[in-house]
Amino acid sequence: LDAATGRELRRLPGRGPVAFSRDGTRLAVRDGTRVRIHSAGDGAERGSIDVGADPVAALAWHPNGDRLAVAGT
């Protein structure tokens, strides 16, 4: 959403949980059993990984931004 107008700027696939990288440049999004990494600026998908049969329950970036922790149910 545009903070000033409330207008939707883009819609990404998947639904919660999500996690922004500490520097705010990347967004990790659960999409079923996949985790997709998007650029926060333009929404472009930068990569994805299938994490197995269990749905993703939580995501968290390492403080230095080079790793992403993924927890299943």
Side-chain angles (χ1 to χ4, degrees):
L1 295 177
D2 182 297
T5 66
R7 184 177 64 87
E8 184 177 294
L9 299 174
R10 69 188 49 85
R11 186 176 298 247
L12 300 175
R15 51 205 234 185
V18 301
F20 278 95
S21 61
R22 187 174 185 173
D23 65 4
T25 61
R26 291 168 290 158
L27 176 64
V29 180
R30 178 191 77 184
D31 188 6
T33 60
R34 294 195 76 74
V35 174
R36 299 182 187 281
I37 308 297
H38 294 273
S39 168
D42 63 9
E45 186 173 315
R46 301 297 182 198
S48 70
I49 185 169
D50 189 336
V51 294
D54 290 334
V56 174
L59 299 166
W61 287 95
H62 187 276
N64 70 11
D66 70 349
R67 288 172 275 174
L68 179 70
V70 178
T73 56

